[in-house]
Amino acid sequence: TTSQATTSQLEGRRVVISAGGTREPIDPVRFLGNRSSGKQGYALAVVAARRGATVTLVAANPSLPTPSGVTVVPVSTALELQSAVERAAKDADVVVMAAAVADFRPAQYADAKIKKTHDPDQPDAAPTIQLVRNPDILAGLVEARGEEASPVIVGFAAETGDDRGGVLEHARDKLARKGCDLLVVNEVGLDKTFGQDENTVHILRLGSSHVTEAGPASKELVAAAVWDAVQEIL
Ligand code: CTP
Ligand code: CA
């Protein structure tokens, strides 16, 4: 029946989803963070579980309840997210990187809280926080493919248009650069996407000029469109 077909499409598949936003500590009370709510990643986990998959959700700073039937691995920093995703990806059929991963982290972690007056000679000065690059986890997964497993790899991109091109142009470049199988693209602005319950995305497939549009719709319906696209590749 139709309902059996829609509930068993991912039966026997192991999927790994990263969600949320990483936090890069500056000192014991401060971090560099981002505005990702984690809702889209959680919706991907809910829909995959409903379709019969074994789901590992690597959740960066989770603030949402654990979906039933999903194994949640909580992490905080990009480096923690990397080791959790790489471990889970070893025997996975699909890896979806929906998390917002910080591109940079403070070069140094201050063991004690940085005080407002941090230099007694210059009581009004502000400190400079030096940053270093975090690894590109998605690019690393693509590179490691074939060693232990060859999962389908899905990236997410939050893009804005600018004077160098529109959202889809930037997205095509990014897909080619990353080399993943699918790229799910959100248009972002201050009031678009972050923390909202509805989402509009373009789904791009490597080596194809066809673009699948999903939404504006609930994040669960967008998740269903993403899994439909993954299932075409599996
Ligand atoms: N990503 C990742 N590791 C990083 C940064 C991003 O795995 N250090 C993943 C994200 O989870 C997402 C995809 O890469 O699936 C695209 O993220 P995005 O920030 O759009 O790409 P960047 O290559 O970081 O490019 P940009 O300069 O636009 O931020
Ligand atoms: Ca980035």
Side-chain angles (χ1 to χ4, degrees):
T1 67
T2 313
S3 74
Q4 270 173 336
T6 52
T7 55
S8 61
Q9 290 155 326
L10 291 170
E11 201 74 61
R13 301 293 192 176
R14 292 177 181 277
V15 309
V16 178
I17 300 157
S18 72
T22 67
R23 292 180 179 176
E24 310 302 317
I26 297 168
D27 72 13
V29 295
R30 304 182 180 98
F31 58 83
L32 285 177
N34 62 68
R35 294 162 63 88
S36 175
S37 67
K39 286 179 184 169
Q40 185 62 70
Y42 272 65
L44 284 158
V46 166
V47 172
R50 200 181 286 154
R51 291 187 182 188
T54 301
V55 183
T56 301
L57 180 62
V58 177
N61 304 293
S63 60
L64 297 165
T66 297
S68 70
V70 169
T71 302
V72 173
V73 180
V75 297
S76 188
T77 67
L79 292 176
E80 289 166 8
L81 189 135
Q82 179 184 36
S83 48
V85 166
E86 285 179 353
R87 175 176 315 202
K90 284 193 200 309
D91 58 358
D93 299 296
V94 185
V95 181
V96 182
M97 284 293 298
V101 182
D103 294 323
F104 312 102
R105 67 178 181 276
Q108 248 115 42
Y109 172 74
D111 290 318
K113 186 187 167 195
I114 299 168
K115 301 298 284 179
K116 182 156 57 186
T117 301
H118 65 111
D119 178 354
D121 295 333
Q122 289 176 286
D124 296 326
T128 299
I129 297 170
Q130 202 92 41
L131 302 177
V132 293
R133 282 282 280 267
N134 272 326
D136 188 325
I137 301 164
L138 179 63
L141 290 168
V142 170
E143 212 168 295
R145 206 144 51 160
E147 286 170 18
E148 291 179 71
S150 293
V152 172
I153 301 175
V154 183
F156 268 69
E159 294 287 341
T160 61
D162 60 24
D163 50 7
R164 291 186 304 163
V167 168
L168 282 179
E169 273 180 278
H170 284 305
R172 286 229 169 278
D173 288 350
K174 186 166 283 178
L175 176 58
R177 237 181 7 253
K178 300 266 185 182
C180 51
D181 301 288
L182 295 171
L183 189 70
V184 183
V185 185
N186 281 304
E187 269 185 56
V188 293
L190 265 190
D191 56 345
K192 279 190 190 162
T193 297
F194 289 112
Q196 303 286 304
D197 291 319
E198 295 226 312
N199 209 358
T200 305
V201 301
H202 316 274
I203 303 172
L204 280 63
R205 182 166 174 182
L206 191 69
S208 162
S209 58
H210 180 74
V211 179
T212 304
E213 309 287 345
S218 70
K219 291 189 173 177
E220 280 204 16
L221 280 178
V222 168
V226 172
W227 288 118
D228 288 347
V230 168
Q231 285 161 204
E232 276 185 33
I233 299 175
L234 279 172

